[in-house]
Amino acid sequence: MDEISQQTQVNLEQQLSPNTRRSFGFSSLRIKKRINSEDGGFTRRRGLRSFSSTRESSRKESVPEDDGDSQLSGGEKHMMKTGVKEPELTEPSGMEAAENTTRQHRYASGQYFFEYLVVVSLKKAKDSNTYEPQITYQFPKRDGMARSQKEEEEKTLKAITLFCFPEGINWAPLTEYHSETFSFVLTEIDGSRRNGYCRRLLPGGRGARPPEAYCIISTLACFGLFSKIFDEVEKRRQISMAMIYPFMQKLREAPFPAPGNTVEIKSFIPESGTEIISLTRPLDSWLEHVNFATLFDCLTDQQVLLVFAAAVLERRIIFIADELGTLSQVIHAVAALLYPFTWQHTFISIVPEILIDVVMAPTPYLLGVQKRLLDQVTDQTDLLVVDLSEDKKDPFIVSIGDEGSILPSKLQSEILEALSKRQNASVGEELNRVVSEAFLQFFVKTVGHYASYVKYGRAGERGVFDKRSFYKAIEPKVTRHFVKKFIQTQMFDLFIQEVEQQQPGPQQGVFHKKILEYQEKKKKEKTKKH
């Protein structure tokens, strides 16, 4: 790890308690070997362990008394009356062990909806008015793990409590609370991801009490789908805690659907009977965690273009808002505009107060910060600070000043023209399609010819990207000037590394499809001229 990154890591760790420091690493080093066509060496790539979150406000909830158990099964009634939670998993034997092995394999291959469900409650500290988030329930219990696996799980669970309650420890008991859903992402050193989906609400009972969070850990990134799952969880929780776990067990055993497909879950509800819950994944899986509506509600098309320009060159960007839902939805939308490229640096859509010093990191980041912490970020320079508040006078509190000249002016005009078509688009998936298409075409026109400059030697050998010839072939000069900067970014570098590792032949995916369509269009235009 370079010296600057090491110092950043030390500064962050000094802000955390010893227990928290053991819980997660803010950034980690991942080395990728890359063959260099000139000297046979390799370059280093930093892979960050990152945390992100998405959050939306829901309705104000009322907490009914637990009086709906008359139609429950005998086992459910027993669980409710005795307060006994579902039994912990024990070591199976025989055919049961074989079935369990199959289920473990299914999860390892990414076929389960979720890994586990936890409940995070705020517990009042002794001799203090502060509250500490603690995990009070985990389903299912994961017994039989090796010591190292157990330690890793404990670190993850500790990090989960921090991101379920990012505002810190200063809470007061409440009688009313707006139920809200949000999510965060944990990216491990090896690049694998686990998503945490949370719904915060008031627990059952009378009088003032702090909220609690239900959190589902899953490898599947689909915010809309898990929001619907939490609707079902909350519906059952209002009847009885005991109603949640049979539903979650059926969900856990169901294979999650492929993009565009639906899975149905049968579940019993007192006074309603057996219900069938349909869960559908969006067809464009790379957009299923995104909603562009909030981004364009907060900023004009031209302002979005300036933010996009700063993100394309991997600059430091901080978003400011009062509402956590606004922060998280906007930052995920900005990251999605970079498709087919992926943001490779620090990404925290809701920065917990305990981690606010991350704004001082010298490396690129996308951060969401609550407006009450604005004074702690405006003393920074060489970055873009974007105010998303409704009462803002100028959205750009801090800027470098060159954001308007980063992208070629002709391509800027084409993006703005394409965005104007969204006025006729409906909300949801259609809106996402129109917006993503506008920015995807920008990359098609600037770097869509990359495949022609990946040269392959003998069969089985990886390709080598001819960077210099690639950007020298670009016309006009203003576009070449932009691309020369863009190809120095980590997002482009990683994209090309993955292409070099593939065998020569037709490429797959939305980006390649759009490239072929654009090339065919240009060919027809050239034929007409002649």
Side-chain angles (χ1 to χ4, degrees), residues 110-182:
Q111 295 180 347
Y112 274 136
F113 259 99
F114 70 97
E115 186 175 351
Y116 44 72
L117 162 75
V118 298
V119 178
V120 181
S121 304
L122 289 171
K123 298 297 183 181
K124 191 172 184 179
K126 294 181 179 179
D127 303 323
S128 174
N129 290 325
T130 61
Y131 287 81
E132 179 183 356
Q134 297 179 2
I135 292 179
T136 54
Y137 188 84
Q138 178 182 332
F139 169 80
K141 291 288 187 180
R142 300 181 64 189
D143 294 332
M145 292 188 298
R147 181 178 177 180
S148 59
Q149 292 176 314
K150 186 67 175 177
E151 290 175 350
E152 284 302 311
E153 183 186 64
E154 289 175 353
K155 293 176 183 178
T156 299
L157 294 177
K158 185 67 178 180
I160 288 170
T161 63
L162 175 64
F163 285 91
C164 282
F165 291 94
E167 299 89 340
I169 60 177
N170 296 317
W171 283 86
L174 306 168
T175 55
E176 290 184 344
Y177 186 72
H178 288 273
S179 173
E180 53 190 349
T181 305
F182 60 99

Side-chain angles (χ1 to χ4, degrees), residues 288-322:
E288 62 188 352
H289 206 56
V290 177
N291 186 341
F292 288 117
T294 303
L295 173 63
F296 287 93
D297 286 342
C298 295
L299 301 173
T300 66
D301 294 3
Q302 184 64 51
Q303 291 164 353
V304 170
L305 209 54
L306 297 180
V307 172
F308 171 72
V312 161
L313 293 190
E314 295 183 334
R315 293 184 172 179
R316 301 192 302 162
I317 307 176
I318 299 176
F319 297 92
I320 303 292
D322 294 308

Side-chain angles (χ1 to χ4, degrees), residues 188-422:
E188 304 298 340
I189 298 174
D190 62 359
S192 62
R193 287 190 169 190
R194 285 190 289 180
N195 304 279
Y197 300 91
C198 301
R199 176 158 293 183
R200 291 205 316 206
L201 33 70
L202 281 182
R206 297 180 181 274
R209 54 211 182 277
E212 66 183 9
Y214 285 71
C215 183
I216 296 174
I217 306 302
S218 174
T219 56
L220 178 62
C222 188
F223 185 75
L225 186 146
F226 278 91
S227 292
K228 185 172 182 179
I229 290 174
F230 274 123
D231 289 341
E232 298 299 327
V233 168
E234 188 168 357
K235 183 193 302 184
R236 285 154 181 77
R237 174 195 155 280
Q238 290 178 348
I239 300 171
S240 167
M241 287 284 289
M243 295 301 303
I244 296 175
Y245 305 110
F247 168 71
M248 294 303 293
Q249 180 62 40
K250 290 181 180 179
L251 179 67
R252 179 172 155 78
E253 294 176 348
F256 63 77
N261 292 347
T262 300
V263 68
E264 294 182 341
I265 308 293
K266 293 182 178 180
S267 180
F268 174 77
I269 295 286
E271 300 181 1
S272 299
T274 299
E275 292 187 350
I276 298 178
I277 299 103
S278 297
L279 302 172
T280 303
R281 290 183 67 187
L283 186 60
D284 293 326
S285 60
W286 59 280
L287 289 173
E288 62 188 352
H289 206 56
V290 177
N291 186 341
F292 288 117
T294 303
L295 173 63
F296 287 93
D297 286 342
C298 295
L299 301 173
T300 66
D301 294 3
Q302 184 64 51
Q303 291 164 353
V304 170
L305 209 54
L306 297 180
V307 172
F308 171 72
V312 161
L313 293 190
E314 295 183 334
R315 293 184 172 179
R316 301 192 302 162
I317 307 176
I318 299 176
F319 297 92
I320 303 292
D322 294 308
E323 297 293 330
L324 297 182
T326 299
L327 284 175
S328 54
Q329 291 174 34
V330 165
I331 198 171
H332 277 281
V334 170
L337 295 179
L338 300 173
Y339 180 85
F341 304 97
T342 303
W343 182 263
Q344 296 295 319
H345 302 275
T346 304
F347 182 97
I348 313 179
S349 56
I350 302 175
V351 177
E353 187 171 353
I354 195 173
L355 292 179
I356 192 60
D357 282 353
V358 70
V359 302
M360 296 187 295
T363 51
Y365 55 59
L366 292 178
L367 303 178
V369 175
Q370 290 177 271
K371 197 165 187 177
R372 63 186 178 84
L373 302 174
L374 178 60
D375 291 343
Q376 300 188 49
V377 305
T378 51
D379 59 346
Q380 300 295 304
T381 58
D382 296 327
L383 79 167
L384 184 65
V385 179
V386 187
D387 189 357
L388 305 173
S389 306
E390 293 183 4
D391 59 349
K392 60 182 178 293
K393 295 180 180 179
D394 183 352
F396 301 115
I397 301 174
V398 179
S399 65
I400 294 177
D402 67 343
E403 290 83 3
S405 61
I406 292 174
L407 308 180
S409 57
K410 184 177 183 294
L411 295 179
Q412 288 191 52
S413 298
E414 292 177 357
I415 293 176
L416 292 173
E417 182 181 353
L419 288 176
S420 66
K421 298 177 182 178
R422 82 179 187 283

